[in-house]
Amino acid sequence: MKAPILNHLIFIVTFSILFGWKASAQTYELASPDGSVEVSINTADTISYLVTYKGEKVLLESPLLLEFNMSPPLGRYMDVVNQEEKVIDNSWEPLIGQQKEMRNHCNQLYLEMVEENFPGRELGMYFRAYNDGIAFRYFLPKLKSKRNLTLTREYSTFHFPDNYSAWMADYGSFASHQETEFWKHPLSHIKSSSAIGIPLTVKHAEHLYTAVTEANLDNWSGMYIGLDEQTVKGIRLQSQLSPKGGDPSNAEKVSISTPHTSPWRVLLIGETPGDLIESDIVMNLNEPCEIEDPSWIK
């Protein structure tokens, strides 16, 4: 009986060496042009990502999900059916600002996924790695039916390794003038019911600062930040979308037709607070100006 067992083990080891375990094929790596920023995306079980800067952990494994009315969460048990990588490197002239020319330089990874189980929905995700940060967004392909989707929750998380100090604006509710001080608190000050505005600026160390924000907000609810109640190492924050009418009891966040792309979720990374201010990521992620002749703007 020992010989068949031994042969079986040899087959498993040989197969693993030649082809790799399935789990290894569910991890995708993306680095910035200079290699300082790295994003690791895992599609096993739940889609998640983690971020490092010059080898230092900036975000631990952070899950990503979308939830719609009368539907199970979208982002679990996904099969990657196509992946596309490309280098983006172009320059453009902004209408305002201190720079005459702005460079948009990053590496992008697009993952096209399908649910393993019924109902077999499709989901695309874009990830970009810049030398001073990362960004990601969701893409919902066109549905066969013409019905709109009612988004009830966007579960985009930012899993910080420790209880760092941060500068935050707590608006108290989703219906506000967004005029308040940015107070310095530990990340643990944020509760699950909080409506923390963006940007949320975090001090990891004397040589490392980050800021959570968004870009290209179009036909989607504005993002606030709250605490993820799940018990994890460090502090995991999650996106809080403003409900229609600003009423927290309203489960509907936005009604969308497909195909549709979400706003960019952005993490700026710098070695000083000034690096965050000087970053061009948000402007590069927004759509170009649609005014054909903007010369009249002063």
Side-chain angles (χ1 to χ4, degrees):
M1 294 295 292
K2 292 183 179 180
I5 295 175
L6 179 60
N7 290 338
H8 183 64
L9 291 174
I10 291 174
F11 171 78
I12 292 176
V13 173
T14 304
F15 183 85
S16 300
I17 292 173
L18 291 176
F19 301 102
W21 294 104
K22 181 180 180 182
S24 65
Q26 294 173 310
T27 300
Y28 303 84
E29 307 293 337
L30 180 67
S32 62
D34 68 358
S36 60
V37 176
E38 295 183 346
V39 188
S40 180
I41 302 104
N42 192 293
T43 59
D45 190 7
T46 300
I47 302 169
S48 65
Y49 72 105
L50 60 87
V51 182
T52 61
Y53 176 70
K54 295 183 177 180
E56 187 170 345
K57 291 181 179 178
V58 176
L59 291 182
L60 303 179
E61 188 171 344
S62 305
L64 303 171
L65 285 171
L66 294 177
E67 294 184 10
F68 299 94
N69 187 36
M70 306 294 289
S71 301
L74 177 60
R76 290 178 178 163
Y77 309 110
M78 307 294 291
D79 277 333
V80 176
V81 296
N82 185 39
Q83 69 178 89
E84 299 174 3
E85 300 176 46
K86 72 175 183 178
V87 176
I88 297 173
D89 192 359
N90 54 65
S91 298
W92 57 283
E93 295 183 4
L95 296 180
I96 58 172
Q98 297 180 344
Q99 300 182 59
K100 183 178 180 180
E101 188 176 74
M102 197 165 289
R103 186 184 183 189
N104 184 21
H105 189 202
C106 67
N107 292 327
Q108 177 177 283
L109 171 66
Y110 173 68
L111 298 177
E112 182 181 342
M113 296 169 283
V114 178
E115 285 180 311
E116 295 178 359
N117 305 317
F118 181 83
R121 294 168 295 176
E122 299 177 358
L123 175 66
M125 290 216 65
Y126 290 91
F127 293 89
R128 288 188 180 182
Y130 291 83
N131 293 336
D132 57 350
I134 67 104
F136 63 87
R137 74 191 315 187
Y138 305 86
F139 172 66
L140 298 163
K142 187 173 181 61
L143 294 175
K144 294 179 180 179
S145 64
K146 296 183 179 180
R147 67 181 181 89
N148 281 7
L149 294 175
T150 300
L151 182 72
T152 57
R153 186 189 188 199
E154 177 196 327
Y155 184 60
S156 296
T157 64
F158 307 88
H159 189 174
F160 291 93
D162 209 340
N163 188 22
Y164 302 126
S165 296
W167 289 265
M168 59 188 74
D170 190 347
Y171 296 122
S173 73
F174 298 109
S176 75
H177 297 290
Q178 297 198 350
E179 296 177 353
T180 188
E181 297 281 350
F182 280 74
W183 298 104
K184 186 178 181 180
H185 295 289
L187 288 173
S188 58
H189 177 80
I190 301 174
K191 308 304 179 186
S192 60
S193 58
S194 296
I196 303 298
I198 53 176
L200 171 70
T201 304
V202 182
K203 179 180 179 180
H204 297 244
E206 291 298 333
H207 64 281
L208 182 59
Y209 293 79
T210 63
V212 177
T213 188
E214 65 182 350
N216 198 15
L217 177 59
D218 183 20
N219 194 16
W220 203 270
S221 294
M223 183 178 76
Y224 295 78
I225 301 294
L227 178 70
D228 186 348
E229 290 183 317
Q230 299 184 53
T231 302
V232 294
K233 178 182 178 182
I235 302 291
R236 193 163 75 191
L237 306 177
Q238 63 171 309
S239 56
Q240 304 269 53
L241 295 188
S242 175
K244 283 195 170 183
D247 181 3
S249 64
N250 187 356
E252 182 177 346
K253 303 303 187 292
V254 63
S255 178
I256 55 177
S257 59
T258 57
H260 195 83
T261 309
S262 78
W264 288 100
R265 301 321 183 192
V266 184
L267 182 75
L268 306 178
I269 303 174
E271 297 183 1
T272 67
D275 291 338
L276 305 181
I277 297 173
E278 295 172 356
S279 175
D280 297 327
I281 291 180
V282 172
M283 291 192 69
N284 279 322
L285 291 173
N286 284 320
E287 293 295 323
C289 177
E290 294 185 1
I291 302 174
E292 292 184 6
D293 180 14
S295 59
W296 55 272
I297 298 177
K298 304 297 181 184

